């Protein structure tokens, strides 16, 4: 197991601190980024994505969150995949705080996260931006005071994300375009992802993500024309730049691409 990456663990903006979960893998990069958010001097903190059910990490996050006699005001989930959410219920027990999420099944408490909601807590305002695509329940969180957007798995700190089995490529492309518009109009200067280091060129990153998706679609069209008939055959032809350990996940993206091309028609 690799240790924390110094460029991610402990990274701070004026109002956000990253604590890296010890769950590195080809899919999670260095591990899951758990974010603690508070106005300096606030008596409370908001925790975004407690991460996996890993007691050492949850204890560490809790200790940091309540340092200086602070309390945890709320726990927010960018989406419900286990590497982000499996520790949420346990962390809620430790912290005595509600869990807010877009998916009702992930919530502990009465409040969810819907597009346009503003979470006001710990002296900060976090605006919810629905960003379905990687998963159906993905959201991003805009912290305008820091010019920062928490992106979960919608945008990663390195490489690009997969369209998971509960995702949709058409939705994902619309989400990326929406985030690109926000990067140009809302003063977003940092993307703070769920995996990997922070990104200081939001517009350039999102332009790359959009162009990458178009290139993958062109490659899928080519693979189909070359005679590939299954997602596994397409992956073997076009994902030669990706470690084979993540080819099963790449098949999810290919299925999403095939569905998208079918919906688009000839």
């Amino acid at each position: 197991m690799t240790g924390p990456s110094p460029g991610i663990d402990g990274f701070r903006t004026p109002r956000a601190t990253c604590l890296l979960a010890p769950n590195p893998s080809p899919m999670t990069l260095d591990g899951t980024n758990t974010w603690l958010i508070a106005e300096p001097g606030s008596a409370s903190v908001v925790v975004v994505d407690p991460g996996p059910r890993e007691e050492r990490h949850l204890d560490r996050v809790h200790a940091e969150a309540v340092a200086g006699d602070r309390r945890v005001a709320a726990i927010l989930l960018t989406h419900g995949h286990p590497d982000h959410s499996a520790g949420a219920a346990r962390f809620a027990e430790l912290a005595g705080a509600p869990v807010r999420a877009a998916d009702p099944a992930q919530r502990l408490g009465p409040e969810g996260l819907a597009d346009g909601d503003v979470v006001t807590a710990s002296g900060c305002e976090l605006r919810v931006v629905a960003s379905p695509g990687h998963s159906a329940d993905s959201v991003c969180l805009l912290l305008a005071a820091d010019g920062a957007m928490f992106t979960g798995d919608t945008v990663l700190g390195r490489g690009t994300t997969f369209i998971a089995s509960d995702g949709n490529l058409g939705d994902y492309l619309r989400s990326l375009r929406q985030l690109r518009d926000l990067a140009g109009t809302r003063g977003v200067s940092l993307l703070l992802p769920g995996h990997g280091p922070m990104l200081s060129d939001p517009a350039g990153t999102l332009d790359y993500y959009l162009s990458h998706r178009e290139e993958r679609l062109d490659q899928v069209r080519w693979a189909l024309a070359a005679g590939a008939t299954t997602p596994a055959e397409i992956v073997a032809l076009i994902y030669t730049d990706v470690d084979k350990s993540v080819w099963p996940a790449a098949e999810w993206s290919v299925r999403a691409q095939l569905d998208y091309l079918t919906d688009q028609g000839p």
Side-chain angles (χ1 to χ4, degrees):
M1 181 176 293
T2 60
S5 168
I8 303 166
D9 188 75
F11 173 79
R12 296 177 186 271
T13 72
R15 295 167 182 83
T17 300
C18 178
L19 296 181
L20 180 67
N23 61 329
S25 75
M27 292 292 290
T28 60
L29 305 181
D30 307 88
T32 300
N33 295 336
T34 296
W35 294 98
L36 279 61
I37 304 163
E39 185 72 21
S42 174
S44 65
V45 64
V46 173
V47 175
V48 175
D49 288 351
R53 178 69 187 260
E54 209 287 330
E55 292 294 333
R56 291 172 301 164
H57 176 64
L58 298 177
D59 288 344
R60 180 183 177 222
V61 172
H62 184 248
E64 177 74 15
V66 302
D69 293 324
R70 295 190 302 186
R71 64 179 180 86
V72 178
I75 302 160
L76 311 182
L77 299 180
T78 61
H79 62 300
H81 288 166
D83 56 316
H84 295 257
S85 69
R90 172 59 179 151
F91 189 75
E93 291 178 2
L94 292 171
V99 178
R100 297 183 60 173
D103 181 356
Q106 298 289 338
R107 299 173 192 166
L108 290 174
E111 295 184 286
L113 294 175
D115 188 51
D117 283 353
V118 178
V119 179
T120 303
S122 306
C124 296
E125 287 189 349
L126 288 161
R127 183 172 297 275
V128 180
V129 180
S131 56
H134 166 71
S135 68
D137 65 334
S138 287
V139 299
C140 294
L141 300 166
L142 174 63
L143 179 60
D146 280 357
M149 180 83 76
F150 300 90
T151 60
D153 282 0
T154 300
V155 178
L156 302 179
R158 288 196 307 276
T160 57
T161 194
F162 291 110
I163 308 301
S165 57
D166 56 338
N168 177 277
L169 180 56
D171 288 343
Y172 187 60
L173 292 172
R174 286 187 287 272
S175 293
L176 291 177
R177 294 184 188 110
Q178 180 185 20
L179 295 179
R180 177 63 177 86
D181 289 343
L182 287 174
T185 62
R186 297 298 295 268
V188 177
S189 58
L190 283 175
L191 299 181
L192 305 179
H195 304 282
M198 66 94 176
L199 299 163
S200 58
D201 181 14
T205 297
L206 290 159
D207 284 342
Y208 169 73
Y209 263 59
L210 285 162
S211 65
H212 173 76
R213 287 294 159 189
E214 292 300 328
E215 290 171 2
R216 283 296 193 211
L217 284 168
D218 284 342
Q219 290 173 336
V220 170
R221 293 184 183 99
W222 169 82
L224 291 170
T229 59
T230 68
E233 290 172 351
I234 294 171
V235 166
L237 282 175
I238 71 173
Y239 280 81
T240 55
D241 58 334
V242 173
D243 191 290
K244 286 186 177 181
S245 65
V246 298
W247 277 16
E251 290 187 35
W252 301 340
S253 282
V254 167
R255 290 188 183 96
Q257 290 159 346
L258 292 171
D259 291 342
Y260 178 80
L261 290 173
T262 299
D263 291 343
Q264 295 297 301

